[in-house]
Amino acid sequence: MKNIKILIMILALGVLGMIWTKASNSSDALTPEEIVRACYTHFYYAGNDMKARILMKLVDKGGQERIRDLTMLRKNYAEGGDQKYFMYFHKPADVKDTTFMVYKYINKDDDRWLFIPAINLVKRIAANDKYSSFVGSDFTYEDVSGRKPDEDNHTLLRKEQLNGKNCFVVESIPKAPLEYTKRISWIDETNFLPLKEEFYDKQNEFYREFQAQELKDINGILTITRRVMKNIKTGHRTEVAFQEVEYNVGIGDDIFSERYLRRPPLEWIR
């Protein structure tokens, strides 16, 4: 009887070992492109739609702060594909009532509009301006809505731990010349969220860094609720806190129109 129990234990351990090996191998089998695609969809396409209140803190080298308080609305039309964003700025006074809208497409350049209330102007943001600073922050317009994975060539450099998390370390080199020559990303092996990114300029010098500082489970969706982008060369940084995050709230198509750029829908931005 004792020998039978021992045999059962050995068989059970063998089965568990096969399961762990299979899980590990499935992770190892991913190509760099698949890893980046998974990161892109998990980070930018969580839920069918999303509503969040966002506090953006701009901090200069001397520690002086400026605050941006805004509401973000996002709706997906296809996973990893077409998507729309709407943002409304509550404060400070110099950006209050400013709105920003993005139509993201899978097979062409995204459309972006910015409404500037001080001069009552809706400004179309050109495709080559998407690398400009987003409302004075260290994030670019492209950082806000995401860079399409097929715009870069990806290489898996290694696997390593970052703050106790097992990560894929992936190098992404733009296929067309940009303001930066490469991006290195630390992507969590378990949830595929980006925990850190390093950007290198045209002199191949490290100049910008993204870090995920806090992750929370929101209705079953793991969300980066605190993140920071830092300019290494100037010492300026932008800290972002996602508050009051809600998923799958039923945002309608009509929200994403030029009419609402000028007259934001109060029921969604309060």
Side-chain angles (χ1 to χ4, degrees), residues 208-243:
R208 210 163 55 111
E209 180 184 62
F210 167 88
Q211 286 188 7
Q213 296 185 322
E214 180 183 77
L215 283 75
K216 286 185 178 179
D217 186 306
I218 299 174
N219 298 328
I221 297 175
L222 195 60
T223 305
I224 299 176
T225 52
R226 289 188 179 275
R227 58 195 73 174
V228 61
M229 185 73 82
K230 183 176 182 180
N231 187 309
I232 304 302
K233 293 190 172 183
T234 66
H236 194 280
R237 71 182 186 274
T238 302
E239 301 171 0
V240 177
F242 277 63
Q243 305 169 337

Side-chain angles (χ1 to χ4, degrees), residues 163-176:
N163 299 327
K165 305 287 187 181
N166 293 327
C167 294
F168 299 105
V169 183
V170 180
E171 178 185 72
S172 302
I173 297 179
K175 295 177 181 179

Side-chain angles (χ1 to χ4, degrees), residues 24-204:
S24 176
N25 288 342
S26 65
S27 175
D28 291 341
L30 293 173
T31 66
E33 289 75 18
E34 289 170 334
I35 294 168
V36 173
R37 173 65 63 179
C39 177
Y40 179 66
T41 54
H42 280 72
F43 190 32
Y44 289 102
Y45 287 82
N48 297 318
D49 60 35
M50 183 196 75
K51 176 180 182 292
R53 188 70 175 250
I54 298 174
L55 192 66
M56 182 182 290
K57 185 186 297 183
L58 285 60
V59 187
D60 68 17
K61 188 176 182 179
Q64 289 190 321
E65 300 178 356
R66 290 178 294 156
I67 302 296
R68 302 278 187 266
D69 180 6
L70 65 140
T71 292
M72 173 191 283
L73 306 173
R74 167 177 58 78
K75 182 170 183 175
N76 305 337
Y77 291 84
E79 185 176 279
D82 289 359
Q83 191 179 52
K84 292 180 181 179
Y85 286 80
F86 184 95
M87 298 178 202
Y88 171 81
F89 287 80
H90 299 274
K91 55 185 178 184
D94 60 341
V95 297
K96 179 175 168 53
D97 297 330
T98 296
T99 53
F100 174 60
M101 187 166 64
V102 182
Y103 284 12
K104 189 159 74 175
Y105 307 108
I106 190 168
N107 291 320
K108 62 178 182 177
D109 286 335
D110 302 339
D111 289 326
R112 294 177 174 86
W113 298 268
L114 185 69
F115 172 62
I116 307 169
I119 54 177
N120 193 31
L121 174 69
V122 173
K123 177 185 177 183
R124 183 78 174 266
I125 298 171
N128 58 357
D129 285 340
K130 61 185 177 182
Y131 309 112
S132 301
S133 166
F134 176 65
V135 293
S137 76
D138 297 285
F139 290 87
T140 67
Y141 285 99
E142 184 178 73
D143 292 330
V144 173
S145 53
R147 179 170 175 79
K148 301 178 184 74
D150 58 5
E151 293 184 276
D152 301 328
N153 292 314
H154 309 286
T155 302
L156 179 61
L157 299 180
R158 61 188 179 275
K159 292 185 178 184
E160 67 182 26
Q161 284 202 340
L162 177 68
N163 299 327
K165 305 287 187 181
N166 293 327
C167 294
F168 299 105
V169 183
V170 180
E171 178 185 72
S172 302
I173 297 179
K175 295 177 181 179
L178 291 184
E179 65 155 9
Y180 63 89
T181 55
K182 67 179 178 182
R183 182 181 78 250
I184 298 177
S185 305
W186 281 254
I187 299 170
D188 193 309
E189 285 189 32
T190 304
N191 53 51
F192 292 97
L193 289 175
L195 302 183
K196 186 172 82 165
E197 291 182 326
E198 294 181 350
F199 296 81
Y200 291 77
D201 63 19
K202 293 178 181 178
Q203 289 73 45
N204 204 33

Side-chain angles (χ1 to χ4, degrees), residues 6-23:
I6 292 172
L7 180 60
I8 291 172
M9 289 177 63
I10 292 171
L11 289 172
L13 289 171
V15 171
L16 286 173
M18 289 174 64
I19 293 172
W20 289 332
T21 301
K22 184 177 179 182

